[in-house]
Amino acid sequence: MSGGWLTWAAMGGHGGYVWASVGALAVLVGGEVVALRRRHRRALHDIARRPS
Amino acid sequence: MAARTVTPLDAAPPGPPPRLGWTRFSSPPRFHALCTRLLPVLWTLAALLSLAGLVLGLGVAPTDAQQGEVYRILFVHVPAAWIGMVCYLAMAFWGGIGLAFNTRLAFLVMRALAPTGAAFTALCLWSGALWGQPTWGTWWVWDARLTSMLLLLFLYAGFLALVSAIDDPRRADRAGAVLALGGAVNVPVIYGSVLWWNTLHQGASITPRGASMAAPMLWALLACSLGLWAYAAAAVLSRARTLALERERGAEWVRRLAEAKR
């Protein structure tokens, strides 16, 4: 069973190229989502701290 | 003297004519509310479609007869290229609207598009290099398609550097809009480069006349593309919403929103 998964993940010997592409997409999406959430939270926090 | 006939125009109430509906969301509080409603839908669509596309593309689509398994980079590379190019065109469009009508929100959307477009352009170049090495035997060649795509990345970098270098946000917006409009000429060059010049990069696989790939590959590409488009739209709207909060921090609607969040 695990042999089947490994064969699939190896992508005919080109797994490194394919997974480096998919991994870069995952890093891009993950990094951007975290940065967007942090910035939004910080903006709300700054506004809440301003004297009305 | 004969009595004048009263027409429906005479009966109309005085004052300015009613506003057109398409300008309704140019008000930052309405735009913020619209984004807050749209974002959960877009994030969900992005997650479901991207995951389905990657499962189809990496696990279900058949092996390519010429390239073997390495062609599966296509499911990342092609949507990234489309998003990189279209985000730049959208930046130029909103920059033009901002310059023509001096609308705050158009400039905000223009600014919000740049980081996402730049990230997808960089991903396109990265995945292209990873695809080029096993198929062409080289990571990079200075052919028209690759060079014009690299120029697009430099245009994004230039835009981001320019708008962050100018302290006055309105001046920065206008300068950025001019750069976005000028640089938009590069996008048709990217698209046409494989037609106009002899390039190592292959021509388009999907044209208005049809697609030169098997149906399972096409479905996987469609799902990946729609998922990543939903992601890009969500990221841009999310960033524009935060930019609106930062720019309008002194406004009454922002104060009320912050109080409601407490």
Side-chain angles (χ1 to χ4, degrees), chain B residues 103-258:
Chain B
T103 49
R104 289 171 296 173
L105 202 64
F107 287 131
L108 284 187
V109 176
M110 173 190 76
R111 281 198 186 208
L113 281 156
T116 302
F120 275 100
T121 304
L123 177 66
C124 169
L125 289 167
W126 169 251
S127 56
L130 288 165
W131 200 353
Q133 173 60 24
T135 49
W136 300 337
T138 180
W139 301 98
W140 181 264
V141 281
W142 292 99
D143 91 343
R145 171 57 72 87
L146 277 70
T147 308
S148 52
M149 204 66 193
L150 183 65
L151 185 60
L152 183 70
L153 183 65
F154 291 158
L155 282 166
Y156 273 121
F159 175 90
L160 289 167
L162 181 67
V163 294
S164 58
I166 301 173
D167 287 335
D168 178 7
R170 301 310 298 267
R171 276 187 60 217
D173 285 344
R174 284 195 293 272
V178 171
L179 178 61
L181 279 169
V185 176
N186 186 46
V187 177
V189 174
I190 297 171
Y191 185 78
S193 57
V194 289
L195 307 169
W196 304 333
W197 294 289
N198 188 18
T199 59
L200 191 55
H201 194 286
Q202 69 172 71
S205 301
I206 300 172
T207 62
R209 288 188 299 276
S212 58
M213 63 173 77
M217 296 177 185
L218 192 62
W219 281 112
L221 182 59
L222 186 71
C224 273
S225 301
L226 289 175
L228 290 178
W229 272 116
Y231 167 76
V236 168
L237 286 183
S238 177
R239 189 176 293 108
R241 181 177 71 157
T242 308
L243 280 169
L245 284 180
E246 289 171 353
R247 284 261 181 112
E248 304 262 321
R249 60 170 75 94
E252 178 64 19
W253 72 272
V254 176
R255 198 183 56 77
R256 268 189 271 127
L257 186 81

Side-chain angles (χ1 to χ4, degrees), chain A residues 8 11-12 14 16-22 24-25 28-29 32-33 36 39-40 43-44 47-50 52, chain B residues 58-59 69-70 72-73 116 119 123 126-127 130 133-134 231 235 239 241-243 245-246 249 254-255 258 262:
Chain A
W8 169 74
M11 298 270 167
H14 290 123
Y17 299 109
V18 177
W19 293 114
S21 296
V22 177
L25 172 67
L28 180 158
V29 169
E32 194 172 25
V33 167
L36 285 169
R39 189 170 174 181
H40 189 69
L44 284 175
I47 292 157
R49 281 178 57 196
R50 279 171 70 92
S52 52
Chain B
L58 300 177
E69 303 289 348
V70 79
R72 294 182 197 278
I73 293 174
T116 302
L123 177 66
W126 169 251
S127 56
L130 288 165
Q133 173 60 24
Y231 167 76
R239 189 176 293 108
R241 181 177 71 157
T242 308
L243 280 169
L245 284 180
E246 289 171 353
R249 60 170 75 94
V254 176
R255 198 183 56 77
R262 269 179 205 166

